[in-house]
Amino acid sequence: MDPTIYTSMLTANKILDKQAIIANNLANASTLGFKEQLTFQTSSLTNNSESFKDKQILSENNYPYSNFSSGPINFTKRDLDLCIKGNGWFVIKDENAKNKEGYTRNGHFKINTNGQLMINNHLVIGKLGIISLKKNKKISISSSGTINYIDFKKEKTKQNIIGKLKLVNPNPKYLERGNGGVFYLNEKGLKKWGNHIPDNKNVQLNKGMLEDSNVNLNENLINMISNERHFSIEMKIISTADENIQRANQLLNINN
């Protein structure tokens, strides 16, 4: 294979990888608490190919990473809509892996038919485990994540503490991306904490607010168009190189 064709094929594959990341960002632009994924790209000369042991091939490498900056705040005035101030995560149960926690910035809480707190169809984990509530009871969640039943009697409001949301704040280097904006502990995180990060009392909440996705639509669309153009150029290079090879072969056949 011609080195030019091989190099362009490698580059085109990397462009497709970047397009997949951008497509995922755009698909989750309206997902609450979603953190966009970016790529850091490097170019280097390599001769790892079996076909070109005596030649160096220009290779591009993509290194995906997550943008953990906060997204825009949406004011909803709903009691069970919560937004984390600054850094931190809500904790949910991963139904697909035993005893494994998931971490999300999505604070749109709901109560299922069994009286359990949910986020996007995932059970919410409290400081002492799964949070179950009494039916037909109004609850309030404080800025520290404490959950209270509210009783209205004789013009007085009485609050009964029933539990606390588990709120964590691990260093992002211990997290890896999952699906739907959920993060999990990576190998380093599992070695440090096991399957469960300790509750962090310093994480605080705002009520009646939600954090939207931090995906920059304009930037992602511009990058997608740029990648499409770059991909077309690489395809043109491959086509031109292939035509040149065919013409060279024709000339050799004529001379012979």
Side-chain angles (χ1 to χ4, degrees):
M1 182 184 295
D2 185 272
T4 301
I5 295 178
Y6 183 79
T7 301
S8 291
M9 286 179 59
L10 289 179
T11 303
N13 283 332
K14 298 301 181 181
I15 293 172
L16 292 177
D17 290 340
K18 289 194 292 184
Q19 289 293 69
I21 290 174
I22 293 173
N24 185 56
N25 287 338
L26 294 175
N28 287 281
S30 60
T31 300
L32 293 172
F34 181 84
K35 301 302 177 189
E36 75 172 337
Q37 191 172 21
L38 306 173
T39 56
F40 174 73
Q41 184 174 319
T42 62
S43 299
S44 60
L45 291 172
T46 179
N47 57 355
N48 292 331
S49 171
E50 290 293 328
S51 302
F52 307 107
K53 289 183 178 180
D54 58 335
K55 297 181 180 180
Q56 287 190 319
I57 303 298
L58 182 65
S59 176
E60 292 187 357
N61 299 301
N62 295 325
Y63 298 95
Y65 65 98
S66 297
N67 174 12
F68 287 103
S69 64
S70 298
I73 303 302
N74 180 22
F75 293 85
T76 66
K77 297 183 180 180
R78 180 175 174 268
D79 288 341
L80 292 183
D81 283 345
L82 302 171
C83 173
I84 293 177
K85 298 179 184 178
N87 299 324
W89 302 84
F90 299 108
V91 185
I92 59 174
K93 181 180 179 181
D94 184 351
E95 292 80 7
N96 299 317
K98 293 182 179 179
N99 299 319
K100 191 173 182 180
E101 296 179 339
Y103 309 103
T104 179
R105 296 279 293 192
N106 181 355
H108 186 58
F109 288 79
K110 293 183 178 180
I111 302 174
N112 66 12
T113 55
N114 296 321
Q116 297 168 315
L117 273 183
M118 306 282 291
I119 295 178
N120 197 23
N121 297 322
H122 295 285
L123 289 171
V124 175
I125 296 179
K127 192 174 180 180
L128 299 178
I130 300 300
I131 300 173
S132 296
L133 309 170
K134 295 179 181 179
K135 294 182 179 179
N136 302 320
K137 285 281 190 178
K138 183 176 177 60
I139 67 168
S140 173
I141 301 177
S142 71
S143 61
S144 63
T146 302
I147 306 171
N148 302 277
Y149 283 132
I150 300 177
D151 293 329
F152 301 96
K153 293 181 179 179
K154 296 181 180 180
E155 299 181 355
K156 292 183 178 181
T157 301
K158 182 180 180 182
Q159 295 188 354
N160 299 305
I161 298 176
I162 57 170
K164 183 185 180 302
L165 297 175
K166 183 176 180 181
L167 303 171
V168 299
N169 187 21
N171 189 309
K173 70 179 182 180
Y174 295 116
L175 299 177
E176 64 182 12
R177 178 180 294 270
N179 295 323
V182 179
F183 284 79
Y184 303 94
L185 287 174
N186 56 24
E187 291 185 5
K188 291 182 179 179
L190 291 172
K191 288 181 180 180
K192 183 176 179 64
W193 291 295
N195 289 325
H196 309 284
I197 300 176
D199 178 74
N200 189 318
K201 63 181 180 180
N202 294 321
V203 179
Q204 296 292 302
L205 308 174
N206 282 322
K207 185 185 295 186
M209 306 178 191
L210 290 173
E211 180 182 342
D212 289 332
S213 166
N214 69 351
V215 172
N216 187 320
L217 285 175
N218 291 334
E219 185 174 333
N220 277 271
L221 288 171
I222 291 171
N223 288 338
M224 176 171 279
I225 294 171
S226 176
N227 287 334
E228 287 178 353
R229 291 174 177 172
H230 190 181
F231 184 83
S232 296
I233 291 172
E234 297 301 332
M235 292 298 99
K236 182 64 176 178
I237 291 174
I238 292 174
S239 176
T240 301
D242 184 57
E243 290 177 1
N244 290 338
I245 292 173
Q246 291 182 19
R247 290 172 182 172
N249 290 334
Q250 290 174 356
L251 291 173
L252 288 173
N253 290 332
I254 292 173
N255 293 331
N256 291 333

